[in-house]
Amino acid sequence: MESSDITNPQDQQSQSGSSNLSDTERWGSLIGGGALVLMGLRQGSLRGALTAIAGGGLIYHGATAQSSIQEKVGMNQSIKVEKTVTINKSPEELYRFWHNFENLPTFMKHLKYVRVINQTRSHWIANAPMGSSVEWDADIVNDQENKLIAWTSVEGADVDNSGFVRFTPTASGRGTEVKVVIEYNPPGGAVGSAIAKLFGEEPEQQAGDDLRRFKQLMETGEIPTTEGQPSGRK
Amino acid sequence: MKALCWHGANDVRVDTVPDPKIINPRDAIIKITSTAICGSDLHIYDGYIPTMQSGDILGHEFMGEVVEVGSAINNLKIGDRVVIPFTISCGSCFFCNRDLWSLCDNSNPNAWMAEKMYGHSPAALFGYSHLFGGYAGGQAEYARVPFADVGAMKIPDGLTDDQVLFLTDIFPTGYMAAENCDIEPGDIVAVWGCGPVGQFAIKSAYMLGAERVIGIDRIPERLQMAKEKCNAEIINYEEVDAGEALKEMTGGRGPDACIDAVGMEAHGTGPDSFYDQVKQAVRLETDRPTALRQVIVAARKGGHVSIAGVYGGFLDKIPMGAAFNKGLTFKMGQTHVHKYLRPLLERIQNGEIDPSFVITHRLPLQEAPHGYEIFKKKKDSCIKVVLKPGG
Ligand SMILES: NC(=O)c1ccc[n+]([C@@H]2O[C@H](COP(=O)([O-])OP(=O)(O)OC[C@H]3O[C@@H](n4cnc5c(N)ncnc54)[C@H](O)[C@@H]3O)[C@@H](O)[C@H]2O)c1
Ligand SMILES: [Zn+2]
Ligand SMILES: [Zn+2]
């Protein structure tokens, strides 16, 4: 059973429609809960989980089938990252800023440009090694106002990727916990491994730094820097 | 402009560097009128602070005149005379909102480095290595001040630079060190180190109600200043065993609170200090905590240990058993300068204290390298150097 590695032992005997329903619930609570998302996801794909929640079992099955083929031909080098930061702002303010994906390049360093095409679709351009770039279209697959935004790249992406950001208010007066979970599936081959390197070199730190810049921008209105300051370096 | 740049251990030079400019909306540019050398700068000078780069501009105790402001600054104008806290703080994060300014979440562009070293990043500091943000410091003619809307305090007319300059660091640092002792009426406070920070810790301990304050050092003129200017009882630890003397002076109980105003480069006389010198020299140990060990052993049961002296890394042979079994309370950290600016300015204005008493040398910026040398080696009875750009 292809999906056995992402289902609970107690789910294993039940299959098809009913199991997909419980998977959906389980992923729903995983993504909305306090535990480590990637721990809960184990070997499963984030894309699978996100599309399952968005569209129910059928799409999920499709996604599983696809990823299992990738696994078989040895292309599945997915990079998964999970990072959380607490920001001294309301979920509303943070959700609103993030929801306009055109704002993302201000704090996500590897992004060059994002253009919003319509309610759900956007076009993304990211820096790739040696001055080149990679592009994809992404769809918002789950949008819960002031709570959660999930997106996945659509077919034809240079780099298959998906992710979600969640905004959870903390105990009174302590702002909002912002959790980001992102998954990249770089293509195979030389280009793919270069891209894997770009996204994969300390992905935790890259995501953490992006999220910190988001926090800095939201809390202080700017991103602190020393670029352009004087020094006595020759 | 001219600026004092670090080029390696014991190698600082006044170089000509580009003028600073506004980079972020909340920046201001200050034309510096007075800037001091701090004991913290000596840790850099001596090469014990990692992540320095050749050419870094030093200095974190400076004041001057606003000459340019960023687009988001609306509480400062050109010509305002201001003092600048050495900690860089945003004013809007969880920590700044709780008056824990030196723990600001947002000011360090190199927070990832600090997170690797400390788990979390404290605030950035002016001129204090890339681990703490890599911001150019203020031993220069001009400085860029980030978050200037919360980081620059205007100085009312009628006060000289010498009177207010130390609001940037050492007066608040001594004051916070004393505050961290939770002093109660009747308390005896002992202060290790009678450098500028120690002097202000002694004065502040009295301000906060200590019955007696004892200063410990070995440099005669510093002990003399502690006695004459700050009203401390003194112990020269080269003449007597400080621990024994303290016991005698406190009826055998030990001081109710002990302040470490020495930090990572403590001088020592015993075998443990030799061990530290060797280990620190070959970088097996980052800090030389001789004074801190004494502090812990001397403190009375249930007493307070307040650490103002800077520590950077991993310390050997800390008598944790003494600390634990005597139930000591520890408080420490870089000073939350912003919190103390106004209250301490008031104490200066109403004549309770004139911080200029610690100044022994006033030099033109051009002579800063000489200033470092005499301050480090305690030559010419040097206790505190103030530099004058353009002087
Ligand atoms: N917490 C903060 O925010 C903060 C701010 C400023 C300075 N500091 C730190 O405070 C410390 C003191 O600063 P300063 O400007 O007064 O420096 P300083 O070097 O002038 O003074 C240190 C004094 O300690 C004495 N000393 C050395 N070893 C001793 C020992 N074993 N016992 C007793 N005295 C001893 C020295 O003789 C000297 O007089 C430094 O570590 C500095 O980095 C901390
Ligand atoms: Zn200082
Ligand atoms: Zn802050």
Side-chain angles (χ1 to χ4, degrees):
Chain A
M1 188 63 225
E2 299 297 346
S3 61
S4 64
D5 53 354
I6 36 172
T7 47
N8 282 330
Q10 63 262 39
D11 289 343
Q12 272 178 6
Q13 64 275 55
S14 65
Q15 282 156 16
S16 72
S18 65
S19 105
N20 286 327
L21 194 66
S22 64
D23 286 346
T24 307
E25 278 169 12
R26 191 163 58 81
W27 285 317
S29 69
L30 181 61
I31 283 167
L36 273 171
V37 173
L38 289 185
M39 279 277 267
L41 211 53
R42 296 273 156 70
Q43 303 304 314
S45 91
L46 177 64
R47 165 184 287 272
L50 291 175
T51 44
I53 296 166
L58 282 172
I59 301 173
Y60 164 65
H61 255 314
T64 325
Q66 208 179 355
S67 73
S68 64
I69 291 163
Q70 284 191 346
E71 263 160 47
K72 280 183 190 122
V73 295
M75 297 195 314
N76 195 352
Q77 308 173 309
S78 81
I79 299 158
K80 298 197 192 85
V81 186
E82 173 169 6
K83 275 281 170 189
T84 310
V85 71
T86 301
I87 304 185
N88 205 7
K89 289 280 170 188
S90 68
E92 291 74 21
E93 285 169 276
L94 302 175
Y95 169 89
R96 215 178 306 130
F97 190 85
W98 196 296
H99 196 267
N100 180 0
F101 282 3
E102 294 188 0
N103 286 330
L104 300 185
T106 54
F107 62 90
M108 291 190 172
K109 219 171 188 172
H110 68 284
L111 283 183
K112 238 184 217 168
Y113 172 81
V114 178
R115 183 167 49 90
V116 172
I117 297 168
N118 61 34
Q119 286 281 68
T120 52
R121 182 153 298 187
S122 49
H123 185 68
W124 303 48
I125 305 178
N127 294 309
M130 290 174 296
S132 64
S133 54
V134 287
E135 307 193 16
W136 64 85
D137 280 350
D139 277 346
I140 293 180
V141 293
N142 197 341
D143 188 354
Q144 301 170 27
E145 197 174 1
N146 304 331
K147 287 196 181 117
L148 181 126
I149 310 166
W151 63 92
T152 62
S153 60
V154 303
E155 269 211 43
D158 288 343
V159 183
D160 175 281
N161 69 86
S162 50
F164 74 85
V165 55
R166 185 184 80 197
F167 309 96
T168 320
T170 64
S172 61
R174 296 198 173 186
T176 302
E177 283 175 19
V178 180
K179 182 185 282 290
V180 172
V181 181
I182 299 177
E183 176 184 80
Y184 299 103
N185 289 296
V191 180
S193 68
I195 290 166
K197 207 169 166 223
L198 179 77
F199 289 100
E201 251 175 340
E202 310 217 35
E204 293 281 334
Q205 189 181 310
Q206 198 176 79
D209 286 350
D210 282 350
L211 209 45
R212 187 194 333 277
R213 281 187 286 269
F214 178 56
K215 171 184 164 76
Q216 289 166 333
L217 189 61
M218 292 294 95
E219 288 188 348
T220 78
E222 61 187 45
I223 295 171
T225 180
T226 56
E227 255 167 68
Q229 74 173 10
S231 87
R233 274 181 277 288
K234 299 279 151 26
Chain B
M1 67 165 180
K2 296 268 182 249
L4 191 276
C5 299
W6 184 89
H7 289 283
N10 298 308
D11 181 7
V12 293
R13 299 172 218 159
V14 177
D15 292 336
T16 301
V17 303
D19 287 351
K21 51 183 198 295
I22 301 282
I23 297 173
N24 268 338
R26 294 174 62 188
D27 288 354
I29 305 294
I30 309 297
K31 181 179 197 287
I32 294 164
T33 52
S34 292
T35 174
I37 307 177
C38 177
S40 299
D41 293 325
L42 290 182
H43 302 320
I44 296 180
Y45 188 62
D46 294 337
Y48 291 119
I49 303 288
T51 74
M52 287 295 297
Q53 290 174 16
S54 176
D56 287 346
I57 300 172
L58 298 187
H60 59 263
E61 302 183 353
F62 60 98
M63 62 177 295
E65 198 187 300
V66 176
V67 291
E68 202 183 338
V69 293
S71 58
I73 302 274
N74 42 37
N75 61 348
L76 293 173
K77 55 180 195 313
I78 314 275
D80 281 347
R81 196 165 154 248
V82 293
V83 293
I84 310 297
F86 78 95
T87 43
I88 303 175
S89 312
C90 79
S92 40
C93 69
F94 174 88
F95 298 95
C96 290
N97 286 348
R98 279 158 187 76
D99 257 348
L100 300 168
W101 300 82
S102 73
L103 306 178
C104 175
D105 251 349
N106 291 319
S107 57
N108 188 352
N110 301 327
W112 64 271
M113 269 188 219
E115 283 183 350
K116 288 214 159 110
M117 188 114 169
Y118 300 139
H120 300 91
S121 175
L125 311 174
F126 283 104
Y128 216 72
S129 86
H130 293 262
L131 182 62
F132 292 99
Y135 287 97
Q139 286 162 5
E141 289 179 305
Y142 295 89
R144 163 189 169 235
V145 178
F147 304 123
D149 50 342
V150 295
M153 181 179 67
K154 281 187 238 181
I155 294 301
D157 291 339
L159 294 168
T160 64
D161 275 23
D162 287 355
Q163 282 176 295
V164 294
L165 175 60
F166 303 134
L167 287 171
T168 59
D169 178 349
I170 53 173
F171 182 17
T173 295
Y175 192 87
M176 183 165 123
E179 217 177 54
N180 279 345
C181 294
D182 291 336
I183 294 168
E184 290 174 8
D187 273 1
I188 305 175
V189 178
V191 179
W192 272 253
C194 296
V197 169
Q199 304 287 340
F200 284 109
I202 294 168
K203 284 241 184 212
S204 303
Y206 279 123
M207 281 178 187
L208 292 169
E211 181 71 29
R212 292 165 57 199
V213 185
I214 303 166
I216 303 155
D217 207 305
R218 72 185 169 108
I219 310 292
E221 61 272 15
R222 294 183 178 219
L223 288 167
Q224 192 186 345
M225 181 183 272
K227 187 174 171 187
E228 287 170 8
K229 299 283 171 60
C230 304
N231 197 28
E233 298 167 40
I234 52 173
I235 296 175
N236 184 330
Y237 69 86
E238 277 191 327
E239 288 168 5
V240 294
D241 180 289
E244 285 306 314
L246 282 169
K247 261 198 173 164
E248 288 313 305
M249 292 162 82
T250 57
R253 300 185 302 276
D256 301 285
C258 294
I259 295 175
D260 173 351
V262 177
M264 60 160 76
E265 288 184 74
H267 159 267
T269 45
D272 63 323
S273 80
F274 179 69
Y275 164 90
D276 291 320
Q277 278 177 37
V278 171
K279 282 198 96 172
Q280 196 180 36
V282 297
R283 299 295 189 273
L284 279 172
E285 186 180 28
T286 53
D287 306 69
R288 224 161 55 207
T290 322
L292 182 56
R293 292 186 193 122
Q294 291 172 3
V295 157
I296 293 169
V297 175
R300 79 146 159 83
K301 290 186 282 180
H304 280 72
V305 169
S306 161
I307 308 173
V310 163
Y311 293 93
F314 302 89
L315 280 60
D316 281 2
K317 300 201 182 337
I318 294 300
M320 206 58 205
F324 179 85
N325 289 297
K326 292 201 289 178
L328 302 180
T329 298
F330 279 66
K331 291 195 177 182
M332 63 194 87
Q334 298 283 358
T335 305
H336 306 302
V337 181
H338 298 60
K339 169 184 174 184
Y340 298 101
L341 285 173
R342 268 161 236 288
L344 296 188
L345 174 66
E346 268 171 41
R347 288 189 190 261
I348 296 170
Q349 277 179 300
N350 66 29
E352 263 177 271
I353 182 170
D354 179 354
S356 64
F357 76 93
V358 291
I359 304 174
T360 52
H361 290 73
R362 291 178 185 78
L363 300 174
L365 176 65
Q366 207 67 41
E367 287 175 34
H370 172 67
Y372 271 80
E373 219 24 48
I374 57 171
F375 180 46
K376 169 181 171 158
K377 301 205 169 129
K378 293 154 180 98
K379 280 189 202 155
D380 194 22
S381 301
C382 180
I383 297 178
K384 188 76 180 176
V385 181
V386 174
L387 302 167
K388 295 279 180 186

